Amino acid sequence: MDKIRIRGGRPLSGEIVIGGAKNAGLPLMAAGLLTDERLTLTNVPDLVDIHTMAALLAQHGVAVERPLAGGRELSIGGPISNTEAPYDIVRKMRASVLVLGPLMARMGHARVSLPGGCAIGTRPVDLHFKGLEQMGATIRLDGGYAQAEAPQGLHGATIVFPFPSVGATENLLMAASLADGRTVLANAAREPEITDLAECLLAMGARIEGVGTDRLTVDGVRRLHAATHAIVPDRIETGTYACAAAITGGEVHLRGARMDHLAALVRALDEAGVEVVERPGGVTVRRTGRLHGADVMTEVYPGFPTDMQAQYMALMCVSDGAAMVTETIFENRFMHVPELNRMGARINVHGASAIVRGVPALSGAPVMATDLRASVSLVLAGLAARGETVVNRVYHLDRGYEAVEQKLAACGADIERLPG
Ligand code: EPZ
Protein backbone atom coordinates (compact mmCIF):
# COMPACT_ATOMS: atom_id res chain seq x y z
CA MET A 1 0.00 0.00 0.00
CA ASP A 2 1.35 3.42 -1.00
CA LYS A 3 2.42 5.93 1.61
CA ILE A 4 3.02 9.66 1.39
CA ARG A 5 6.05 11.20 3.13
CA ILE A 6 6.05 14.91 3.98
CA ARG A 7 8.75 17.06 5.53
CA GLY A 8 6.88 20.04 6.92
CA GLY A 9 7.52 23.69 7.60
CA ARG A 10 7.56 25.13 4.07
CA PRO A 11 5.01 27.85 3.22
CA LEU A 12 3.18 27.01 -0.01
CA SER A 13 3.42 29.42 -2.90
CA GLY A 14 2.10 29.08 -6.43
CA GLU A 15 -0.99 27.90 -8.28
CA ILE A 16 -3.15 24.78 -8.04
CA VAL A 17 -5.67 23.83 -10.73
CA ILE A 18 -8.99 22.72 -9.25
CA GLY A 19 -10.58 19.72 -10.97
CA GLY A 20 -14.17 18.68 -11.54
CA ALA A 21 -16.10 17.73 -8.40
CA LYS A 22 -16.03 14.03 -7.43
CA ASN A 23 -19.44 14.40 -5.79
CA ALA A 24 -20.93 15.85 -8.96
CA GLY A 25 -19.17 13.49 -11.38
CA LEU A 26 -20.52 10.36 -9.69
CA PRO A 27 -24.26 11.21 -9.93
CA LEU A 28 -23.68 12.71 -13.40
CA MET A 29 -22.22 9.41 -14.58
CA ALA A 30 -25.24 7.59 -13.14
CA ALA A 31 -27.44 10.01 -15.11
CA GLY A 32 -25.88 8.49 -18.24
CA LEU A 33 -28.15 5.49 -17.57
CA LEU A 34 -31.23 7.66 -18.18
CA THR A 35 -30.87 7.64 -21.97
CA ASP A 36 -29.68 5.33 -24.73
CA GLU A 37 -28.09 8.35 -26.37
CA ARG A 38 -24.65 9.63 -25.42
CA LEU A 39 -24.08 11.78 -22.38
CA THR A 40 -20.71 13.49 -22.68
CA LEU A 41 -19.12 14.82 -19.51
CA THR A 42 -16.15 17.18 -19.59
CA ASN A 43 -13.82 18.43 -16.81
CA VAL A 44 -13.86 14.86 -15.47
CA PRO A 45 -11.39 14.34 -12.61
CA ASP A 46 -9.03 11.34 -12.74
CA LEU A 47 -10.05 9.66 -9.45
CA VAL A 48 -10.39 6.07 -8.25
CA ASP A 49 -14.10 6.61 -7.50
CA ILE A 50 -14.73 7.84 -11.05
CA HIS A 51 -13.09 4.69 -12.43
CA THR A 52 -15.17 2.56 -10.05
CA MET A 53 -18.37 4.20 -11.29
CA ALA A 54 -17.22 3.62 -14.89
CA ALA A 55 -16.75 -0.08 -14.06
CA LEU A 56 -20.24 -0.21 -12.57
CA LEU A 57 -21.81 1.38 -15.66
CA ALA A 58 -19.93 -1.10 -17.84
CA GLN A 59 -21.40 -3.86 -15.66
CA HIS A 60 -24.85 -2.57 -16.73
CA GLY A 61 -23.77 -2.97 -20.36
CA VAL A 62 -23.43 0.75 -21.00
CA ALA A 63 -20.44 1.97 -23.03
CA VAL A 64 -18.16 4.32 -21.13
CA GLU A 65 -15.50 5.85 -23.35
CA ARG A 66 -12.68 8.24 -22.70
CA PRO A 67 -12.28 9.58 -26.26
CA LEU A 68 -8.88 11.03 -25.45
CA ALA A 69 -6.65 8.66 -23.50
CA GLY A 70 -6.05 10.33 -20.14
CA GLY A 71 -8.36 13.10 -21.25
CA ARG A 72 -10.90 14.80 -19.06
CA GLU A 73 -13.87 13.75 -21.11
CA LEU A 74 -16.18 10.75 -20.60
CA SER A 75 -18.84 9.62 -23.02
CA ILE A 76 -21.59 7.35 -21.67
CA GLY A 77 -24.45 5.70 -23.53
CA GLY A 78 -26.11 2.64 -24.96
CA PRO A 79 -28.69 0.07 -23.96
CA ILE A 80 -28.73 -1.38 -20.44
CA SER A 81 -28.30 -5.16 -20.45
CA ASN A 82 -27.91 -5.79 -16.73
CA THR A 83 -29.65 -4.09 -13.80
CA GLU A 84 -27.53 -5.52 -10.99
CA ALA A 85 -25.05 -3.46 -8.96
CA PRO A 86 -22.87 -6.18 -7.39
CA TYR A 87 -21.56 -6.22 -3.84
CA ASP A 88 -17.90 -6.27 -4.89
CA ILE A 89 -18.32 -2.85 -6.51
CA VAL A 90 -20.83 -1.30 -4.11
CA ARG A 91 -18.74 -2.20 -1.05
CA LYS A 92 -15.88 -0.15 -2.53
CA MET A 93 -18.00 2.89 -3.21
CA ARG A 94 -21.31 3.74 -1.54
CA ALA A 95 -22.17 6.21 -4.29
CA SER A 96 -22.91 3.11 -6.42
CA VAL A 97 -26.40 3.32 -4.93
CA LEU A 98 -26.96 6.30 -7.26
CA VAL A 99 -27.61 3.88 -10.14
CA LEU A 100 -30.80 2.70 -8.40
CA GLY A 101 -33.00 5.65 -9.41
CA PRO A 102 -31.90 5.69 -13.06
CA LEU A 103 -32.22 1.88 -13.39
CA MET A 104 -35.74 1.96 -11.92
CA ALA A 105 -36.72 4.85 -14.21
CA ARG A 106 -35.35 3.23 -17.37
CA MET A 107 -35.88 -0.50 -16.75
CA GLY A 108 -38.51 -0.79 -14.00
CA HIS A 109 -36.34 -3.16 -11.97
CA ALA A 110 -32.93 -3.24 -10.25
CA ARG A 111 -30.94 -5.41 -7.88
CA VAL A 112 -28.51 -3.23 -5.96
CA SER A 113 -26.25 -4.42 -3.17
CA LEU A 114 -26.82 -2.59 0.08
CA PRO A 115 -23.77 -0.40 0.65
CA GLY A 116 -23.23 -1.50 4.24
CA GLY A 117 -21.66 0.82 6.77
CA CYS A 118 -18.53 2.85 6.33
CA ALA A 119 -15.89 4.39 8.54
CA ILE A 120 -17.76 7.67 9.11
CA GLY A 121 -21.15 6.23 9.96
CA THR A 122 -23.91 3.71 9.31
CA ARG A 123 -25.13 5.81 6.39
CA PRO A 124 -28.41 4.04 5.68
CA VAL A 125 -30.20 4.54 2.35
CA ASP A 126 -33.74 4.27 3.71
CA LEU A 127 -34.73 7.67 2.29
CA HIS A 128 -33.76 6.50 -1.20
CA PHE A 129 -35.99 3.42 -0.82
CA LYS A 130 -38.95 5.23 0.79
CA GLY A 131 -38.99 7.78 -2.04
CA LEU A 132 -38.97 5.09 -4.73
CA GLU A 133 -41.76 3.21 -2.91
CA GLN A 134 -43.83 6.40 -2.95
CA MET A 135 -43.24 6.47 -6.72
CA GLY A 136 -44.68 2.95 -7.09
CA ALA A 137 -41.69 0.70 -6.57
CA THR A 138 -41.69 -2.33 -4.29
CA ILE A 139 -38.35 -2.99 -2.62
CA ARG A 140 -37.49 -6.11 -0.67
CA LEU A 141 -34.21 -7.05 0.95
CA ASP A 142 -32.71 -10.29 -0.28
CA GLY A 143 -29.28 -11.56 0.74
CA GLY A 144 -27.81 -8.12 1.28
CA TYR A 145 -29.33 -6.79 -1.92
CA ALA A 146 -32.26 -4.45 -2.49
CA GLN A 147 -34.53 -6.10 -5.06
CA ALA A 148 -36.59 -3.23 -6.52
CA GLU A 149 -39.51 -3.69 -8.93
CA ALA A 150 -41.90 -1.26 -10.60
CA PRO A 151 -43.76 -3.36 -13.22
CA GLN A 152 -46.09 -0.48 -14.06
CA GLY A 153 -43.16 1.98 -14.11
CA LEU A 154 -42.64 4.87 -11.70
CA HIS A 155 -45.24 7.59 -11.17
CA GLY A 156 -44.89 11.07 -9.71
CA ALA A 157 -45.23 11.64 -5.95
CA THR A 158 -44.77 14.34 -3.35
CA ILE A 159 -41.77 13.32 -1.25
CA VAL A 160 -40.92 15.24 1.91
CA PHE A 161 -37.42 14.42 3.19
CA PRO A 162 -37.10 14.30 6.98
CA PHE A 163 -33.46 15.23 6.38
CA PRO A 164 -32.07 16.89 3.21
CA SER A 165 -30.08 13.83 2.09
CA VAL A 166 -27.73 14.57 -0.81
CA GLY A 167 -27.80 11.08 -2.30
CA ALA A 168 -31.53 10.57 -1.83
CA THR A 169 -32.21 13.92 -3.52
CA GLU A 170 -30.00 12.91 -6.45
CA ASN A 171 -31.42 9.39 -6.81
CA LEU A 172 -35.04 10.56 -6.71
CA LEU A 173 -34.41 13.57 -8.94
CA MET A 174 -33.06 11.22 -11.61
CA ALA A 175 -35.92 8.73 -11.11
CA ALA A 176 -38.53 11.53 -11.30
CA SER A 177 -37.14 12.86 -14.59
CA LEU A 178 -38.61 9.82 -16.41
CA ALA A 179 -41.54 9.04 -14.08
CA ASP A 180 -45.16 9.37 -15.20
CA GLY A 181 -46.46 12.69 -13.87
CA ARG A 182 -45.24 15.29 -11.40
CA THR A 183 -42.84 14.69 -8.49
CA VAL A 184 -42.16 17.24 -5.77
CA LEU A 185 -39.03 16.80 -3.64
CA ALA A 186 -39.55 18.91 -0.51
CA ASN A 187 -36.79 19.65 2.02
CA ALA A 188 -34.38 18.55 -0.71
CA ALA A 189 -30.62 19.01 -0.38
CA ARG A 190 -29.23 22.10 -2.16
CA GLU A 191 -25.54 21.23 -2.55
CA PRO A 192 -23.95 22.71 -5.72
CA GLU A 193 -23.43 19.16 -6.97
CA ILE A 194 -27.21 18.70 -7.00
CA THR A 195 -27.66 21.93 -8.96
CA ASP A 196 -25.01 20.65 -11.37
CA LEU A 197 -26.91 17.37 -11.82
CA ALA A 198 -30.20 19.24 -12.35
CA GLU A 199 -28.60 21.47 -15.00
CA CYS A 200 -27.30 18.41 -16.82
CA LEU A 201 -30.74 16.75 -16.66
CA LEU A 202 -32.32 19.93 -18.07
CA ALA A 203 -29.81 19.80 -20.94
CA MET A 204 -30.92 16.19 -21.53
CA GLY A 205 -34.55 17.35 -21.81
CA ALA A 206 -35.81 16.94 -18.26
CA ARG A 207 -38.41 19.35 -16.89
CA ILE A 208 -37.33 20.63 -13.46
CA GLU A 209 -38.40 23.73 -11.51
CA GLY A 210 -36.78 25.10 -8.35
CA VAL A 211 -33.16 24.24 -9.20
CA GLY A 212 -30.91 25.46 -6.38
CA THR A 213 -33.74 25.53 -3.84
CA ASP A 214 -34.94 22.97 -1.29
CA ARG A 215 -38.10 22.29 -3.32
CA LEU A 216 -37.66 20.59 -6.68
CA THR A 217 -40.67 20.04 -8.96
CA VAL A 218 -40.13 17.52 -11.76
CA ASP A 219 -42.56 16.75 -14.61
CA GLY A 220 -41.49 13.39 -15.99
CA VAL A 221 -40.86 13.06 -19.74
CA ARG A 222 -40.95 9.93 -21.87
CA ARG A 223 -37.27 9.97 -22.75
CA LEU A 224 -34.13 12.01 -22.33
CA HIS A 225 -31.62 12.77 -25.08
CA ALA A 226 -27.91 13.30 -25.63
CA ALA A 227 -26.15 16.24 -23.98
CA THR A 228 -22.70 17.55 -23.14
CA HIS A 229 -22.05 18.86 -19.64
CA ALA A 230 -18.97 20.27 -17.88
CA ILE A 231 -18.62 19.06 -14.30
CA VAL A 232 -18.67 21.85 -11.70
CA PRO A 233 -15.32 22.62 -9.99
CA ASP A 234 -14.75 20.71 -6.75
CA ARG A 235 -15.52 23.00 -3.79
CA ILE A 236 -14.09 20.48 -1.32
CA GLU A 237 -10.81 20.17 -3.22
CA THR A 238 -10.79 23.99 -3.28
CA GLY A 239 -11.36 24.20 0.48
CA THR A 240 -8.73 21.56 1.13
CA TYR A 241 -6.00 23.47 -0.70
CA ALA A 242 -7.19 26.73 0.88
CA CYS A 243 -6.48 25.10 4.25
CA ALA A 244 -3.09 23.92 2.92
CA ALA A 245 -2.13 27.52 2.07
CA ALA A 246 -3.43 28.69 5.45
CA ILE A 247 -1.77 26.01 7.59
CA THR A 248 1.67 26.63 6.00
CA GLY A 249 1.38 30.43 6.11
CA GLY A 250 1.67 30.69 2.36
CA GLU A 251 -0.19 32.09 -0.64
CA VAL A 252 -1.82 29.89 -3.29
CA HIS A 253 -3.99 30.72 -6.31
CA LEU A 254 -6.72 28.12 -6.83
CA ARG A 255 -7.42 28.22 -10.57
CA GLY A 256 -11.01 27.39 -11.53
CA ALA A 257 -12.35 27.65 -7.97
CA ARG A 258 -15.88 29.03 -7.52
CA MET A 259 -16.02 31.62 -4.71
CA ASP A 260 -19.83 31.46 -4.66
CA HIS A 261 -19.69 27.84 -3.44
CA LEU A 262 -17.40 28.59 -0.50
CA ALA A 263 -19.30 31.14 1.60
CA ALA A 264 -19.48 29.23 4.89
CA LEU A 265 -15.83 28.12 4.69
CA VAL A 266 -14.68 31.64 3.76
CA ARG A 267 -16.51 33.07 6.79
CA ALA A 268 -14.66 30.65 9.10
CA LEU A 269 -11.28 31.22 7.42
CA ASP A 270 -11.77 34.99 7.56
CA GLU A 271 -12.47 34.79 11.31
CA ALA A 272 -9.36 32.62 11.69
CA GLY A 273 -7.20 35.26 10.01
CA VAL A 274 -6.95 33.75 6.53
CA GLU A 275 -7.40 36.00 3.50
CA VAL A 276 -9.55 34.56 0.69
CA VAL A 277 -9.87 36.80 -2.38
CA GLU A 278 -11.74 36.18 -5.61
CA ARG A 279 -9.50 36.78 -8.62
CA PRO A 280 -10.19 36.42 -12.37
CA GLY A 281 -10.51 32.69 -13.00
CA GLY A 282 -10.24 31.54 -9.42
CA VAL A 283 -9.58 32.30 -5.76
CA THR A 284 -6.36 33.29 -3.99
CA VAL A 285 -5.79 32.21 -0.37
CA ARG A 286 -3.10 33.76 1.83
CA ARG A 287 -2.17 33.73 5.49
CA THR A 288 0.57 36.01 6.76
CA GLY A 289 -0.29 36.70 10.40
CA ARG A 290 -1.21 34.46 13.33
CA LEU A 291 -4.06 31.97 13.06
CA HIS A 292 -6.96 32.53 15.45
CA GLY A 293 -9.33 29.88 16.78
CA ALA A 294 -12.77 30.07 15.13
CA ASP A 295 -15.66 27.71 15.92
CA VAL A 296 -17.51 25.81 13.19
CA MET A 297 -20.53 23.52 13.08
CA THR A 298 -21.09 21.33 10.03
CA GLU A 299 -24.47 21.75 8.38
CA VAL A 300 -26.16 20.95 5.08
CA TYR A 301 -25.42 23.40 2.27
CA PRO A 302 -25.07 26.35 2.38
CA GLY A 303 -23.71 25.71 5.89
CA PHE A 304 -20.15 24.63 6.69
CA PRO A 305 -19.51 21.39 4.73
CA THR A 306 -18.99 18.19 6.71
CA ASP A 307 -16.47 17.20 4.01
CA MET A 308 -14.29 20.13 5.15
CA GLN A 309 -14.47 19.36 8.89
CA ALA A 310 -11.29 17.27 9.16
CA GLN A 311 -9.22 19.67 7.06
CA TYR A 312 -10.39 22.68 9.06
CA MET A 313 -9.67 20.88 12.33
CA ALA A 314 -6.06 20.31 11.20
CA LEU A 315 -5.79 24.04 10.60
CA MET A 316 -7.17 24.87 14.05
CA CYS A 317 -4.51 22.61 15.64
CA VAL A 318 -1.88 25.32 15.05
CA SER A 319 -4.04 28.36 15.86
CA ASP A 320 -3.12 30.71 18.73
CA GLY A 321 -6.42 30.01 20.46
CA ALA A 322 -9.07 27.34 20.72
CA ALA A 323 -11.89 26.24 18.44
CA MET A 324 -15.00 24.12 18.89
CA VAL A 325 -15.65 21.87 15.89
CA THR A 326 -19.10 20.28 15.90
CA GLU A 327 -20.08 17.53 13.47
CA THR A 328 -23.85 17.32 12.97
CA ILE A 329 -24.11 15.25 9.75
CA PHE A 330 -22.28 11.99 10.48
CA GLU A 331 -22.06 10.16 13.78
CA ASN A 332 -18.43 9.04 13.58
CA ARG A 333 -16.41 11.56 11.65
CA PHE A 334 -13.62 12.24 14.16
CA MET A 335 -11.23 9.40 13.24
CA HIS A 336 -8.57 11.95 12.34
CA VAL A 337 -8.49 13.18 15.96
CA PRO A 338 -6.31 10.42 17.50
CA GLU A 339 -3.92 10.66 14.55
CA LEU A 340 -3.64 14.45 14.86
CA ASN A 341 -3.09 14.08 18.61
CA ARG A 342 -0.19 11.71 17.86
CA MET A 343 1.35 14.68 16.04
CA GLY A 344 1.11 16.80 19.14
CA ALA A 345 -2.32 18.33 18.63
CA ARG A 346 -4.51 18.96 21.68
CA ILE A 347 -8.02 17.85 20.73
CA ASN A 348 -10.69 16.55 23.08
CA VAL A 349 -13.88 15.01 21.72
CA HIS A 350 -17.14 15.24 23.65
CA GLY A 351 -19.93 13.60 21.67
CA ALA A 352 -20.50 15.52 18.45
CA SER A 353 -18.07 18.29 19.40
CA ALA A 354 -14.29 18.46 19.50
CA ILE A 355 -12.46 21.22 21.34
CA VAL A 356 -9.17 22.03 19.62
CA ARG A 357 -6.57 23.93 21.64
CA GLY A 358 -3.93 25.35 19.34
CA VAL A 359 -0.27 24.43 19.86
CA PRO A 360 2.79 26.34 18.61
CA ALA A 361 3.74 23.51 16.27
CA LEU A 362 2.89 19.92 15.38
CA SER A 363 5.53 17.18 15.23
CA GLY A 364 5.85 14.83 12.29
CA ALA A 365 4.93 11.19 12.91
CA PRO A 366 3.80 8.03 11.09
CA VAL A 367 -0.01 8.25 10.92
CA MET A 368 -2.86 6.17 9.54
CA ALA A 369 -5.52 7.33 7.11
CA THR A 370 -8.99 5.98 7.85
CA ASP A 371 -11.26 7.71 5.34
CA LEU A 372 -10.97 10.16 2.49
CA ARG A 373 -11.17 13.48 4.28
CA ALA A 374 -9.38 12.30 7.43
CA SER A 375 -6.45 11.22 5.26
CA VAL A 376 -6.07 14.60 3.61
CA SER A 377 -6.28 16.34 7.00
CA LEU A 378 -3.18 14.34 8.00
CA VAL A 379 -1.40 15.54 4.86
CA LEU A 380 -2.25 19.14 5.81
CA ALA A 381 -0.95 18.58 9.34
CA GLY A 382 2.24 17.09 7.89
CA LEU A 383 2.77 20.18 5.71
CA ALA A 384 2.90 22.31 8.87
CA ALA A 385 4.60 19.86 11.25
CA ARG A 386 8.23 19.93 12.27
CA GLY A 387 10.04 16.92 10.85
CA GLU A 388 8.77 14.03 8.82
CA THR A 389 5.24 12.65 8.56
CA VAL A 390 4.38 9.42 6.78
CA VAL A 391 0.70 8.94 5.96
CA ASN A 392 -0.20 5.26 5.54
CA ARG A 393 -3.12 3.78 3.57
CA VAL A 394 -3.24 6.63 1.06
CA TYR A 395 -5.61 4.61 -1.12
CA HIS A 396 -8.27 6.52 0.83
CA LEU A 397 -6.77 9.75 -0.50
CA ASP A 398 -6.68 8.59 -4.12
CA ARG A 399 -10.45 8.07 -4.13
CA GLY A 400 -11.09 11.80 -4.01
CA TYR A 401 -7.90 13.77 -4.71
CA GLU A 402 -6.13 13.77 -8.06
CA ALA A 403 -2.33 14.09 -8.03
CA VAL A 404 -2.30 15.54 -4.52
CA GLU A 405 1.45 15.21 -4.05
CA GLN A 406 2.21 16.72 -7.46
CA LYS A 407 -0.12 19.68 -6.85
CA LEU A 408 1.44 20.38 -3.44
CA ALA A 409 5.05 19.79 -4.57
CA ALA A 410 4.51 22.30 -7.40
CA CYS A 411 3.80 24.88 -4.67
CA GLY A 412 7.00 24.09 -2.78
CA ALA A 413 5.93 21.29 -0.43
CA ASP A 414 8.51 18.62 0.37
CA ILE A 415 6.19 15.68 -0.34
CA GLU A 416 6.60 12.38 -2.14
CA ARG A 417 4.75 9.08 -2.60
CA LEU A 418 6.48 5.95 -1.35
CA PRO A 419 5.24 2.99 -3.41
CA GLY A 420 3.91 0.31 -1.06
C1 EPZ B 1 -22.85 12.77 0.06
O1 EPZ B 1 -23.01 11.52 0.75
C2 EPZ B 1 -21.37 12.87 -0.27
N1 EPZ B 1 -20.98 11.77 -1.15
C3 EPZ B 1 -20.56 12.83 1.03
O2 EPZ B 1 -19.19 13.04 0.67
C4 EPZ B 1 -21.00 13.98 1.92
O3 EPZ B 1 -20.31 13.92 3.14
C5 EPZ B 1 -22.52 13.89 2.18
O4 EPZ B 1 -23.21 13.86 0.91
C6 EPZ B 1 -23.04 15.06 3.00
O5 EPZ B 1 -22.76 16.26 2.33
C7 EPZ B 1 -21.25 11.88 -2.47
O6 EPZ B 1 -21.85 12.84 -2.93
C8 EPZ B 1 -20.78 10.75 -3.35
P1 EPZ B 1 -26.41 12.15 2.78
P2 EPZ B 1 -24.51 10.96 1.03
O7 EPZ B 1 -27.36 11.22 2.14
O8 EPZ B 1 -25.37 11.20 -0.15
C9 EPZ B 1 -28.19 10.18 6.68
C10 EPZ B 1 -16.88 12.63 0.66
O9 EPZ B 1 -16.02 12.72 1.55
N2 EPZ B 1 -29.04 9.45 5.73
O10 EPZ B 1 -26.66 13.61 2.70
O11 EPZ B 1 -24.37 9.57 1.52
C11 EPZ B 1 -26.76 9.63 6.65
O12 EPZ B 1 -26.65 8.55 7.54
C12 EPZ B 1 -18.23 12.01 0.96
O13 EPZ B 1 -16.73 13.05 -0.52
C13 EPZ B 1 -30.06 8.63 6.21
O14 EPZ B 1 -30.25 8.50 7.43
O15 EPZ B 1 -24.94 11.90 2.23
C14 EPZ B 1 -25.93 10.78 7.08
O16 EPZ B 1 -25.88 10.83 8.50
C15 EPZ B 1 -18.31 11.49 2.39
N3 EPZ B 1 -30.83 7.95 5.33
C16 EPZ B 1 -26.70 11.99 6.57
O17 EPZ B 1 -28.03 11.54 6.29
C17 EPZ B 1 -30.64 8.05 3.97
O18 EPZ B 1 -31.39 7.41 3.20
C18 EPZ B 1 -26.09 12.59 5.32
O19 EPZ B 1 -26.23 11.68 4.29
C19 EPZ B 1 -29.62 8.89 3.50
C20 EPZ B 1 -28.83 9.57 4.39
Side-chain angles (χ1 to χ4, degrees), residues 22-23 123-127 165-167 307 329-330 333 373:
K22 166 178 84 79
N23 291 349
R123 299 180 74 182
V125 287
D126 55 313
L127 301 181
S165 154
V166 171
D307 292 349
I329 306 295
F330 290 104
R333 203 170 196 177
R373 307 300 176 182

Side-chain angles (χ1 to χ4, degrees), residues 246 249 272-273 286-292:
R286 182 170 69 143
R287 197 260 297 177
T288 51
R290 287 295 302 150
L291 266 178
H292 314 302

Side-chain angles (χ1 to χ4, degrees), residues 121-132:
T122 54
R123 299 180 74 182
V125 287
D126 55 313
L127 301 181
H128 303 235
F129 293 170
K130 284 179 187 145
L132 285 171

